[in-house]
Amino acid sequence: MPVQNNAPAVQQVCHAITRAIRDGRLAPGQRLTEAEFTQKLSVSRPTVREAFRQLCSDGLLLSEPHRGVSVRQLTRRELDDLFVIRATLEALAVRLAAPALQSAPAELIRIQDALDQAQRTADLTEMSRHNLAFHQLFAETSGNTLLQSLLHRLTNSVYWLQFRVLVADDKVLHSNSQHQEITAAILAGNAKTAADIMAAHIDQTRLLVQSLDDFYFAPPL
């Protein structure tokens, strides 16, 4: 029997679609249907419809009259605008989270160790996974739920493009040096330095994403 339309079921569908986009199984511009996910995830149509609505609100999906729902495709300008905001918010998250992470650094050190191991073994999949955890840690530790929500929505918007960078460009492995610098600054109590490095780190990601072929972007508005 299909799961009834409730918050946990809706979130399961949201997570499944988000993972599929992050892993490259759903591409920008690809059309999604309620019937497909109703059957695939054994949930009701109202559940899938609500998940689509939430992901459209987050900016991950796009709903258009007479065309249905598809994976949102950003223009290059939209991507730049998004990364400018994201860099500012991620730097703020670092500043807010720094005191707590300095006094209780175990999780930060664990994630950094995992990133270092992924770099040593050139494991891009593991780098992607631990990179996401690294950035989420600052938002989650910031103590600011609105900031955490905003960063979640911004990150969702570029999941698929970031995945394309991770599988196609070994330069991402070398970006771990900035993770290491952020971690060292946090442990040394230099919150401002850590925040500045995070802003530069996000901008470096922006440049890597912008280096992708025009195929991955929507035409200019």
Side-chain angles (χ1 to χ4, degrees):
M1 174 180 287
V3 177
Q4 295 302 309
N5 185 22
N6 53 49
V10 170
Q11 289 309 307
Q12 287 174 13
V13 177
C14 287
H15 291 327
I17 294 173
T18 299
R19 282 197 304 271
I21 294 172
R22 186 177 67 232
D23 294 345
R25 289 178 281 118
L26 293 174
Q30 185 169 338
R31 185 169 176 268
L32 310 183
T33 65
E34 292 178 8
E36 175 188 0
F37 287 94
T38 295
Q39 181 178 14
K40 185 181 298 184
L41 302 176
S42 299
V43 294
S44 65
R45 277 183 178 262
T47 296
V48 175
R49 192 174 304 127
E50 175 59 19
F52 281 0
R53 188 197 66 78
Q54 289 189 18
L55 292 174
C56 285
S57 177
D58 283 349
L60 192 63
L61 302 182
L62 177 66
S63 179
E64 299 176 286
H66 312 299
R67 297 187 63 181
V69 174
S70 60
V71 180
R72 187 180 176 195
Q73 194 171 29
L74 300 173
T75 67
R76 289 188 181 276
R77 174 59 188 270
E78 286 175 328
L79 190 82
D80 269 348
D81 290 346
L82 185 151
F83 268 97
V84 167
I85 300 301
R86 184 179 169 191
T88 301
L89 294 181
E90 291 235 23
L92 174 60
V94 168
R95 288 199 299 271
L96 293 176
L101 291 175
Q102 184 189 13
S103 61
E107 183 63 6
L108 176 62
I109 293 172
R110 184 193 69 78
I111 295 173
Q112 185 60 64
D113 287 345
L115 284 166
D116 294 344
Q117 175 63 18
Q119 182 181 13
R120 283 192 295 270
T121 58
D123 190 329
L124 292 169
T125 300
E126 285 298 287
M127 177 65 76
S128 175
R129 184 164 72 90
H130 295 301
N131 176 69
L132 182 62
F134 185 84
H135 289 271
Q136 286 180 334
L137 179 63
F138 293 104
E140 292 168 357
T141 312
S142 70
N144 189 311
T145 55
L146 177 57
L147 176 60
Q148 185 176 345
S149 175
L150 290 171
L151 281 171
H152 173 75
R153 293 178 65 181
L154 289 173
T155 301
N156 267 358
S157 297
V158 292
Y159 259 157
W160 195 84
L161 289 175
Q162 286 179 320
F163 175 83
R164 289 299 307 166
V165 170
L166 288 169
V167 298
D169 200 329
D170 287 348
K171 292 178 183 176
V172 175
L173 291 171
H174 300 299
S175 71
N176 186 45
S177 63
Q178 290 178 311
H179 296 140
Q180 294 168 340
E181 291 171 6
I182 292 167
T183 297
I186 292 291
L187 297 179
N190 297 326
K192 184 181 183 304
T193 297
D196 289 344
I197 298 169
M198 176 63 84
H201 177 62
I202 298 300
D203 193 59
Q204 178 176 308
T205 302
R206 178 187 67 82
L207 294 174
L208 287 173
V209 174
Q210 284 286 14
S211 71
L212 294 171
D213 189 88
D214 288 342
F215 168 80
Y216 300 108
F217 299 91
L221 298 176

